[in-house]
Amino acid sequence: DLLQAAGASRVLCVDLHADQIQGFFDIPVDNFRALPILAKYFVDKNLEDVVVISPDHGGTTRARRLADALGAPLAIIDKRRPRPNVAQVMNVIGEVEGMNAVIIDDMVDTAGTLSIVVKAIKARGAKSVYACCSHGLLSGPACERLDDTPLEELVITNSVKLSEEKKQKYPWIKQLSIAGLLAAGIL
């Protein structure tokens, strides 16, 4: 309501955490997907023996879309949260041994889940582990946590600005532009 009162007649979003958020608006909402940008990056990287990993059951649809785009199989992390902000990997559903794993999520905030998933996938025999997300919030201890894992690369979009300090300190973070995606939506 505040956006409409301020004069907004349309809202452009990128990968809403929950699609249901669109229903809260009385004006048109366009929810663009960054997945084609992320998929193109990994297609161009030309990795062999790829498996796409969903870090939890809730992200399975997103991971399946990336797996389809890469022509790769899918694996799912069976994760539990014994208490708030604590995650445990209980099982990996699917084969990761000898594979180049690509984990996909909508956002990485403190990287607690991602760091344990990277370690679990590597411990189960993955050749290499990459991760990607639409929104790289990377708050608090996120970068330090990931720096202590066998993660090859974290691929994020520029939906959230990455500081120059983080760009310099963590060269394993690759940021992709969503400018073309938004520009196409505006036209």
Side-chain angles (χ1 to χ4, degrees):
D1 291 341
L2 290 174
L3 289 172
Q4 284 181 251
S9 59
R10 183 176 173 199
V11 176
L12 300 179
C13 302
V14 177
D15 287 321
L16 288 169
H17 190 61
D19 288 336
Q20 298 86 336
I21 292 170
Q22 295 176 79
F24 289 103
F25 291 90
D26 293 325
I27 55 178
V29 177
D30 295 309
N31 184 24
F32 294 101
R33 306 276 182 211
L35 190 128
I37 295 167
L38 297 170
K40 182 181 182 323
Y41 178 82
F42 285 104
V43 165
D44 292 348
K45 201 165 192 56
N46 204 24
L47 293 173
E48 294 182 3
D49 304 319
V50 173
V51 60
V52 175
I53 312 285
S54 175
D56 52 37
H57 296 284
T60 303
T61 300
R62 179 183 312 105
R64 186 176 312 284
R65 287 181 183 138
L66 181 59
D68 288 347
L70 300 180
L74 175 69
I76 303 166
I77 302 297
D78 180 22
K79 176 181 78 176
R80 290 197 187 144
R81 291 194 179 271
R83 57 187 186 277
N85 296 322
V86 175
Q88 292 178 322
V89 171
M90 303 306 291
N91 197 10
V92 177
I93 304 165
E95 187 58 49
V96 299
E97 187 174 351
M99 305 288 278
N100 293 302
V102 178
I103 303 164
I104 183 167
D105 211 344
D106 60 342
M107 70 176 134
V108 175
D109 187 4
T110 63
T113 295
L114 182 56
S115 64
I116 65 165
V117 169
V118 169
K119 290 173 186 174
I121 295 301
K122 193 68 174 174
R124 284 166 174 81
K127 273 195 278 191
S128 64
V129 183
Y130 296 81
C132 63
C133 71
S134 301
H135 310 295
L137 304 178
L138 304 176
S139 60
C143 291
E144 290 79 13
R145 281 180 175 161
L146 293 174
D147 213 23
D148 289 336
T149 70
L151 183 67
E152 299 288 329
E153 197 170 46
L154 172 62
V155 182
I156 62 176
T157 75
N158 63 348
S159 69
V160 176
K161 184 173 175 54
L162 183 64
S163 72
E164 289 301 319
E165 178 186 346
K166 285 183 181 173
K167 286 179 187 178
Q168 296 298 318
K169 190 172 180 180
Y170 305 106
W172 44 262
I173 300 174
K174 172 72 175 169
Q175 192 169 45
L176 306 177
S177 176
I178 56 171
L181 179 69
L182 296 175
I186 292 169
L187 294 176

